[in-house]
Amino acid sequence: MIPPQEASARRREIEDKLKQEEETLSFIRDSLEKSDQLTKNMVSILSSFESRLMKLENSIIPVHKQTENLQRLQENVEKTLSCLDHVISYYHVASDTEKIIREGPTGRLEEYLGSMAKIQKAVEYFQDNSPDSPELNKVKLLFERGKESLESEFRSLMTRHSKVVSPVLILDLISGEDELEVQEEVPLEHLPEGVLQDVIRISRWLVEYGRNQDFMNVYYQIRSSQLDRSLKGLKEHFRKSSCSSGVPYSPAIPNKRKDTPTKKPTKRPGRDDTLDVETDAYIHCVSAFVKLAQSEYQLLMDIIPEHHQKKTFDSLIQDALDGLMLEGENIVSAARKAIIRHDFSAVLTVFPILRHLKQTKPEFDQVLQGTAASTKNKLAGLITSMETVGAKALEDFADNIKNDPDKEYNMPKDGTVHELTSNAILFLQQLLDFQETAGAMLASQETSSSATSYSSEFSKRLLSTYICKVLGNLQLNLLSKSKVYEDPALSAIFLHNNYNYILKALEKSELIQLVAVTQKTAERSYREHIEQQIQTYQRSWLKVTDYIAEKNLPVFQPGVKLRDKERQMIKERFKVSWGPPLSTASHCCGRDTDPESLCLGRFYFHLFAGQGFNDGLEELCKIQKAWAIPDTEQRDKIRQAQKNIVRETYGAFLHRYGSVPFTKNPEKYIKYRVEQVGDMIERLFDTSA
């Protein structure tokens, strides 16, 4: 049970809390009342504001809508006015631009193209909106007139500013082909930069707006003429320069070696200067065509639309290309005529040209890439023609060497080298400059399947076989010609000179190596032929030395009577009548009594053997002095060998019989000393002695 004191205290505490809660509750009630009052006031204010807003909205919204309508109307008016101005401007285009169009685009292309743009828009407007309007016809006529003026300006610019490329510049352009050092490419300015830009703008306008391609024909015609004239100018320049100073060169770039595309060869005998000039000029023009055509294509790419470039370029180069091909065919035709008249030196003009055409063909084909097939095939056709005529020339030359009919006329009286030999060797030597070309010519005529893809080794073997054939034909012809000479010794000298000339010519050039490809023993064979002819010549002296050769004389012994056989030999050999009185013989011998055999033998032997040697020696020296051996080494060799033989035989004769007293005037029969005989032989083959 809670004590009374604690219960009383507890009651007072509760009462105090209750009183506080009542006070708090009273405060809350007062606050709620105030809040309600404020709420009522706010609601009243808001209601009043809402009412006013509604009134304002009802007043503003109609005004706003009206304003929007007014703004829309204003915009429509402005657009209408703008459209009217725009439309009205089309009606003024003709009058605004007529003067500019009439005066043309020269000197003010930018302004002119701007006017043409206005006219074009006017045309488009009237076509869409008023196709029956007279204004359409006006602007159409003005547009056509303006387009014609642009076409005329294009032609005028191309004509006035397209210049022929000078020969000097062309030579500089092609001179770097054989240079070891890389040279900067010589620029070609076909049109001034400002003019070029105008031409480009006009061409683009004509394509895009003018719907016109006629200007492309104008372009290729003008540029084609310039290209053709440039090549002709180079050709004329080359001829003039060659006539005055040899190989032409350009002074535009100093201190540069000016080799031609194929360097001008040293002048050879048998070549016509005119042919050399024409050949070199043609070779230059071929190289020039490639370079100029490349440059023309670069220019064309800036001016002509891409899908028209190949066709326009094809047309542009036709005249110049046809000119080159025609000139090439003329060279082929001239070569054919030269073959008919056996002028094979003239045919040699084909070889350097053909070689250059083949060397240039890859670049040529690249330039012509994209042109018509007929254009591409022109060079290949010319090459085939030249190969055919070249092979024909080689074949006919070999046959001509074999069948040359000149046997009685034009034969060298002194037995020196025949013109046929020198011409044949000269022709073969000139082929050395064109080994690959000549070999390819021969290979092109082969019918075997391997010939279609022949190698350089195959061509070399064909050329070697051909040269051996020519040399063989030449040898057969020389043998035939040598029979014209009645004197076998002169025939031998003739063959010796020709064989020796051939051998020396082979050894001094690369011909011997080329011959050795298919005939290893050619050099040895010629040396054997030369030696055989020397031996044949030496036999001509037997009719001199046989008179005094001991082996050919009868052997006489004292006291032995001459036999009939020996008497007959002396009679036939010395062409005398036998049987002079013994007293005469004894008197001649300076003795009173001597056996007939000894006295007569000595008399006839010394008298007629000595006289036969003297006459024979004099006759041979007189005849052979007029003969010729041009090769000094061979001449000295043959002289020395003959001197040794004759002096040895004659010296032995004099040593054995020279002191026999068979006459009072021995010098009448023994006319020469051994040294004199040697001197006489030393003067053989020397017409100046």
Side-chain angles (χ1 to χ4, degrees):
M1 185 168 183
I2 301 173
Q5 292 87 358
E6 290 182 7
S8 178
R10 181 75 174 166
R11 187 180 297 114
R12 283 194 300 269
E13 182 180 352
I14 291 172
E15 289 176 355
D16 289 338
K17 287 184 179 180
L18 182 60
K19 186 178 181 179
Q20 288 178 356
E21 291 296 332
E22 289 176 350
E23 290 177 356
T24 301
L25 181 61
S26 177
F27 176 77
I28 291 173
R29 286 193 185 99
D30 291 340
S31 296
L32 286 173
E33 290 177 357
K34 290 180 180 179
S35 177
D36 288 340
Q37 185 62 41
L38 290 174
T39 300
K40 290 178 180 180
N41 293 336
M42 181 60 68
V43 170
S44 176
I45 293 171
L46 289 175
S47 297
S48 176
F49 183 72
E50 181 180 7
S51 175
R52 291 179 181 180
L53 283 177
M54 290 181 62
K55 290 179 180 180
L56 180 62
E57 183 178 356
N58 291 332
S59 300
I60 292 299
I61 287 177
V63 174
H64 177 69
K65 289 181 178 180
Q66 187 177 9
T67 301
E68 285 183 344
N69 291 334
L70 290 174
Q71 288 177 342
R72 192 177 297 112
L73 289 173
Q74 182 179 4
E75 289 176 358
N76 290 337
V77 169
E78 290 176 352
K79 288 180 180 179
T80 302
L81 290 174
S82 176
C83 289
L84 287 174
D85 290 339
H86 183 66
V87 170
I88 292 172
S89 68
Y90 289 134
Y91 286 87
H92 294 289
V93 164
S95 59
D96 291 344
T97 60
E98 184 175 9
K99 182 181 179 182
I100 296 175
I101 299 303
R102 185 175 61 252
E103 292 176 352
T106 304
R108 51 174 180 178
L109 181 61
E110 189 71 28
E111 181 183 7
Y112 193 89
L113 291 178
S115 296
M116 288 299 294
K118 293 178 182 179
I119 296 172
Q120 183 182 8
K121 290 180 180 179
V123 171
E124 293 172 354
Y125 170 79
F126 289 120
Q127 284 178 336
D128 293 339
N129 298 282
S130 184
D132 298 328
S133 171
E135 292 296 330
L136 176 60
N137 293 331
K138 289 183 181 179
V139 291
K140 271 188 173 181
L141 289 174
L142 199 58
F143 183 82
E144 291 301 320
R145 189 189 306 169
K147 185 170 70 171
E148 291 174 1
S149 295
L150 284 172
E151 293 172 359
S152 178
E153 180 70 4
F154 182 89
R155 179 189 294 273
S156 176
L157 289 174
M158 291 297 303
T159 302
R160 285 188 288 113
H161 297 283
S162 290
K163 304 298 182 184
V164 173
V165 182
S166 71
V168 170
L169 189 55
I170 295 176
L171 287 173
D172 286 335
L173 189 66
I174 63 179
S175 65
E177 292 183 354
D178 294 334
E179 295 289 342
L180 296 179
E181 298 180 0
V182 178
Q183 301 289 340
E184 293 184 3
E185 186 174 346
V186 180
L188 285 182
E189 186 182 70
H190 295 291
L191 296 171
E193 183 60 28
V195 174
L196 176 60
Q197 294 305 318
D198 285 350
V199 168
I200 292 173
R201 294 197 63 186
I202 294 174
S203 68
R204 290 178 180 174
W205 188 94
L206 290 172
V207 171
E208 185 175 357
Y209 303 109
R211 306 293 189 269
N212 188 303
Q213 298 180 6
D214 292 343
F215 78 94
M216 299 180 195
N217 296 333
V218 172
Y219 177 86
Y220 89 71
Q221 290 169 1
I222 294 173
R223 294 307 308 169
S224 175
S225 175
Q226 299 304 322
L227 175 60
D228 192 46
R229 290 171 59 195
S230 296
L231 292 177
K232 289 178 179 177
L234 172 65
K235 189 174 181 180
E236 186 63 27
H237 171 80
F238 188 90
R239 288 173 180 170
K240 290 180 180 178
S241 299
S242 297
C243 292
S244 60
S245 60
V247 181
Y249 78 100
S250 166
I253 301 178
N255 301 323
K256 280 184 63 178
R257 177 173 58 87
K258 295 295 176 185
D259 287 346
T260 62
T262 52
K263 189 175 181 181
K264 183 181 178 70
T266 304
K267 182 74 177 77
R268 300 179 185 272
R271 292 287 300 275
D272 189 338
D273 287 333
T274 303
L275 290 178
D276 282 338
V277 172
E278 293 294 332
T279 298
D280 290 341
Y282 186 73
I283 288 173
H284 273 79
C285 286
V286 170
S287 293
F289 172 81
V290 173
K291 293 297 184 183
L292 292 177
Q294 289 173 340
S295 182
E296 286 292 344
Y297 192 75
Q298 292 298 319
L299 177 66
L300 177 143
M301 290 173 64
D302 292 331
I303 299 173
I304 304 299
E306 183 176 359
H307 56 288
H308 291 287
Q309 289 173 0
K310 294 295 184 182
K311 182 179 179 181
T312 304
F313 180 70
D314 197 336
S315 300
L316 189 156
I317 63 173
Q318 282 304 313
D319 286 349
L321 181 59
D322 287 344
L324 277 181
M325 296 302 105
L326 178 60
E327 190 172 351
E329 290 297 341
N330 288 340
I331 292 172
V332 172
S333 179
R336 290 195 183 101
K337 294 177 182 177
I339 292 173
I340 293 174
R341 63 177 185 269
H342 294 166
D343 182 8
F344 296 101
S345 63
V347 180
L348 288 172
T349 58
V350 171
F351 286 75
I353 293 174
L354 178 58
R355 178 176 64 184
H356 186 64
L357 289 179
K358 285 188 169 184
Q359 291 172 346
T360 312
K361 189 174 185 299
E363 198 172 5
F364 217 105
D365 291 342
Q366 185 178 7
V367 171
L368 300 184
Q369 187 177 5
T371 58
S374 59
T375 303
K376 294 178 185 177
N377 295 334
K378 286 181 180 179
L379 180 63
L382 179 59
I383 288 176
T384 299
S385 295
M386 287 193 171
E387 282 189 330
T388 301
V389 76
K392 174 66 174 173
L394 294 176
E395 178 184 354
D396 284 16
F397 178 77
D399 292 341
N400 186 66
I401 292 297
K402 181 179 180 179
N403 303 316
D404 177 54
D406 187 7
K407 295 180 181 178
E408 298 182 4
Y409 306 102
N410 201 31
M411 288 292 290
K413 295 180 180 180
D414 57 359
T416 189
V417 178
H418 196 279
E419 184 181 6
L420 180 68
T421 302
S422 59
N423 287 342
I425 294 300
L426 175 61
F427 185 85
L428 295 180
Q429 287 175 334
Q430 290 173 322
L431 286 185
L432 287 176
D433 294 335
F434 313 102
Q435 293 185 41
E436 292 185 6
T437 304
M441 284 179 177
L442 297 170
S444 69
Q445 304 304 305
E446 290 291 312
T447 57
S448 62
S449 58
S450 61
T452 58
S453 57
Y454 54 85
S455 63
S456 59
E457 186 62 29
F458 176 73
S459 299
K460 189 174 184 179
R461 291 188 65 83
L462 283 179
L463 184 58
S464 175
T465 302
Y466 171 78
I467 292 175
C468 292
K469 176 183 177 181
V470 171
L471 293 175
N473 290 349
L474 177 61
Q475 186 173 339
L476 291 174
N477 200 318
L478 291 173
L479 282 171
S480 177
K481 290 182 185 299
S482 69
K483 296 176 183 178
V484 172
Y485 296 111
E486 296 179 358
D487 191 334
L490 180 55
S491 178
I493 290 297
F494 171 76
L495 290 176
H496 165 273
N497 283 332
N498 283 271
Y499 291 156
N500 183 66
Y501 179 86
I502 294 171
L503 178 59
K504 293 293 184 182
L506 293 178
E507 291 176 334
K508 289 179 180 179
S509 65
E510 297 179 16
L511 282 172
I512 193 66
Q513 289 87 357
L514 199 54
V515 168
V517 172
T518 54
Q519 191 171 335
K520 306 293 185 183
T521 62
E523 185 175 1
R524 185 180 68 188
S525 176
Y526 273 109
R527 295 193 186 282
E528 291 174 354
H529 289 323
I530 292 170
E531 191 58 36
Q532 289 173 2
Q533 299 311 317
I534 293 176
Q535 293 174 7
T536 301
Y537 162 75
Q538 289 176 340
R539 285 196 288 271
S540 69
W541 283 83
L542 291 178
K543 63 182 180 182
V544 175
T545 57
D546 277 359
Y547 283 111
I548 58 175
E550 185 174 354
K551 65 179 181 178
N552 294 325
L553 296 174
V555 179
F556 300 109
Q557 297 179 4
V560 178
K561 195 175 183 66
L562 286 174
R563 292 174 295 184
D564 292 338
K565 179 180 179 182
E566 293 167 340
R567 287 173 177 266
Q568 185 65 25
M569 183 193 74
I570 294 174
K571 178 180 178 181
E572 292 177 354
R573 185 168 184 79
F574 300 114
K575 304 293 188 292
V576 298
S577 299
W578 186 256
L582 181 60
S583 60
T584 303
S586 299
H587 177 73
C588 292
C589 292
R591 299 187 181 187
D592 294 332
T593 58
D594 236 358
E596 180 192 37
S597 60
L598 179 60
C599 187
L600 289 177
R602 284 180 176 175
F603 176 78
Y604 285 107
F605 171 70
H606 288 294
L607 178 62
F608 293 104
Q611 187 64 42
F613 172 81
N614 294 335
D615 291 345
L617 175 66
E618 291 170 355
E619 180 184 1
L620 280 186
C621 287
K622 179 180 179 181
I623 293 173
Q624 295 185 8
K625 177 177 176 293
W627 298 354
I629 300 179
D631 188 317
T632 304
E633 182 181 352
Q634 286 290 312
R635 183 168 66 241
D636 293 344
K637 174 184 175 181
I638 292 174
R639 282 174 176 170
Q640 188 61 42
Q642 203 58 53
K643 280 198 306 183
N644 292 341
I645 294 172
V646 176
R647 286 194 305 183
E648 181 180 351
T649 305
Y650 187 58
F653 169 79
L654 291 182
H655 178 72
R656 185 169 183 178
Y657 301 109
S659 59
V660 176
F662 64 88
T663 178
K664 292 181 179 180
N665 300 307
E667 67 278 358
K668 180 179 179 181
Y669 300 99
I670 303 177
K671 296 172 63 175
Y672 303 107
R673 300 189 305 276
V674 174
E675 294 76 11
Q676 289 177 307
V677 171
D679 292 340
M680 292 172 70
I681 296 175
E682 188 65 33
R683 289 192 290 273
L684 297 180
F685 317 116
D686 186 0
T687 56
S688 63

